Amino acid sequence: MSPALILYRLLTRALEPLAPRLLDARAKKGKEDPIRVDERLGITRTPRPDGEIVWLHGVSVGETLSLLPVVERLRATRPDLNILVTSGTLTSANLLARRLPQGVIHQFAPVDTPGAVDAFLTKWKPVVGVFVESELWPNLILESHRRGVKLVLASARITEKTVAGWRRFPGAARKILSAFDVVLPQDGVSADRLESLGARIDGHVNLKLAGDAPPHDGAAFTKLSAAIGDRPVVVAASTHDGEEIAIVRALDKLTDRLCLILIPRHPERSAAIATALTRDGYRFALRSQGRQPDGDTDLYVADTLGEMGLFLRLADVVVMGGSFSAALEKPPVGGHNPLEPARLGKPAVTGPDMTNWAAVTEALVEAGGLRIVAAPWDLPGVLVPLLADDKAAKAMGDRGRRAAAEAGSGLERLIDSLQPLLPPPPARTRR
């Protein structure tokens, strides 16, 4: 083992006694679930089911959502296997509680100390572990490998800054990456970077491009649709600080009445959004308070989790948030998944900051299913023609839907790569 990894293990073991206190402090700040905080130490009251376990790990909301199609496919093709999903944030845990099928287990991922990792792996004994994106925790990965867990690094995305950090410890990087049986980066750029650190690349998979349209509650759709009536609907999806008020001001200049639904990427920001809207004199309703966009309210703040599919289905046009940072002089976000509206055949508009989704953005723009504007105040020039011409809006949405279908083939590649690593299915008994 490289000196850097030996030192890392010694340091994490020495600091391990501080972990419970640090986790309790995070829980008091609302950053950990106080009831389930011991899961971060590998301790849980959830019983382990009999049989083999496939373990899927993602860090936050985007990564864990990208695992849902993998869960569904494994359950359909290998119902004999148990599935354990781990994540690292409260938001992802709350979302998974709503979206994971019954029988799939969720746990918070253990902190990367030897004791927590040992307790977690001893409890669950997974046979295969799939890590989404590029969180390379040395103790967790190397101890899993030592115990014979088959490991897959899927949909891996790694920045040049991260690569530069690992290049200071080349032996450690090679050791960690060699623990993976299969490495499937998101794209060629990440593949080159991982290969430069010693990874053996087995192909490309971007799970965020896979999957179906987000689900929705039919009864809630009917109720909201009735409340909105015949007003055209613009949905601003996954918005960040500054974008909400900028989009509201831009669309406030339109002469025709519409219903604008704001979906903040982080619902806990709803109080700040409400303050900004109130300051500017706007009437609005908060979904978290159980209110509806009634006849006197054209502005609806959808400050809840797990309802993106509902609001996208209500939309006539979708504006993608997290993409206007430069115009608003905010730190870059990199955009959010434009495939979500495209899968539902919704015409969409985005700002220029889509660095996290560059390839799929280019494909959707080239197909004619997505438009790019420089700033929120440029939105009316694109939205007004689309809202005035149903046929043109539908054609744009259909082009996006076709492009999204072509982009989502990575799931099959991952499932094919997993097959040789999974335990053989039980023999069928003859009757």
Side-chain angles (χ1 to χ4, degrees), residues 23-327:
L23 288 168
D24 286 342
R26 284 176 54 83
K28 290 176 182 177
K29 294 178 181 178
K31 295 181 179 181
E32 301 283 349
D33 185 334
I35 297 175
R36 300 175 58 187
V37 71
D38 283 350
E39 290 177 19
R40 302 285 270 155
L41 300 173
I43 302 168
T44 180
R45 295 177 182 174
T46 303
R48 186 197 188 281
D50 294 333
E52 307 285 19
I53 285 181
V54 174
W55 164 35
L56 309 177
H57 172 68
V59 183
S60 57
V61 173
E63 294 78 41
T64 48
L65 281 179
S66 74
L67 285 170
L68 291 175
V70 184
V71 171
E72 294 290 354
R73 184 60 59 87
L74 285 174
R75 280 168 55 87
T77 58
R78 292 296 304 271
D80 57 298
L81 298 173
N82 300 296
I83 300 175
L84 167 69
V85 178
T86 57
S87 64
T89 67
L90 273 175
T91 305
S92 63
N94 292 335
L95 196 57
L96 288 172
R98 298 182 178 89
R99 297 284 298 274
L100 282 178
Q102 186 175 2
V104 176
I105 302 164
H106 173 263
Q107 293 283 285
F108 284 101
V111 295
D112 201 44
T113 61
V117 166
D118 177 74
F120 174 84
L121 293 173
T122 299
K123 168 74 177 186
W124 297 107
K125 299 179 178 66
V127 292
V128 174
V130 180
F131 287 65
V132 173
E133 300 264 344
S134 302
E135 285 252 329
L136 302 178
W137 293 107
N139 288 329
L140 185 60
I141 292 168
L142 294 176
E143 182 62 16
S144 297
H145 177 67
R146 191 188 70 78
R147 295 185 184 215
V149 182
K150 300 296 184 182
L151 296 176
V152 178
L153 181 60
S155 199
R157 177 175 172 269
I158 187 167
T159 66
E160 187 56 45
K161 182 179 179 180
T162 301
V163 171
W166 279 111
R167 281 181 182 145
R168 295 164 56 199
F169 310 102
R174 283 194 301 273
K175 181 71 173 177
I176 293 168
L177 289 170
S178 67
F180 288 97
D181 297 87
V182 177
V183 178
L184 299 165
Q186 280 191 10
D187 51 39
V189 174
S190 287
D192 291 343
R193 290 169 178 167
L194 285 165
E195 201 165 32
S196 74
L197 294 175
R200 187 194 71 251
I201 305 302
D202 300 284
H204 298 170
V205 165
N206 190 340
L207 286 177
K208 288 184 177 180
L209 308 187
D212 301 320
H216 77 295
D217 183 318
F221 176 87
T222 300
K223 186 176 180 180
L224 269 175
S225 185
I228 292 168
D230 59 0
R231 287 173 283 178
V233 177
V234 174
V235 167
S238 296
T239 53
H240 287 253
D241 180 36
E243 290 183 325
E244 295 91 3
I245 193 67
I247 292 170
V248 170
R249 288 170 179 167
L251 301 192
D252 193 31
K253 298 174 183 177
L254 302 185
T255 55
D256 293 335
R257 189 181 183 193
L258 58 79
C259 179
L260 173 60
I261 300 177
L262 302 172
I263 311 177
R265 180 68 174 180
H266 304 288
E268 62 269 21
R269 290 184 49 248
S270 65
I273 296 168
T275 298
L277 294 174
T278 301
R279 183 190 61 223
D280 278 23
Y282 291 107
R283 293 173 58 89
F284 60 92
L286 296 175
R287 181 156 181 80
S288 60
Q289 296 179 350
R291 296 178 60 194
Q292 300 285 328
D294 56 31
D296 296 325
T297 307
D298 293 332
L299 185 53
Y300 195 47
V301 181
D303 54 339
T304 52
L305 280 172
E307 294 192 299
M308 182 67 79
L310 166 65
F311 298 114
L312 290 180
R313 283 172 172 82
L314 289 165
D316 292 292
V317 184
V318 176
V319 177
M320 295 303 302
S323 62
F324 295 105
S325 54

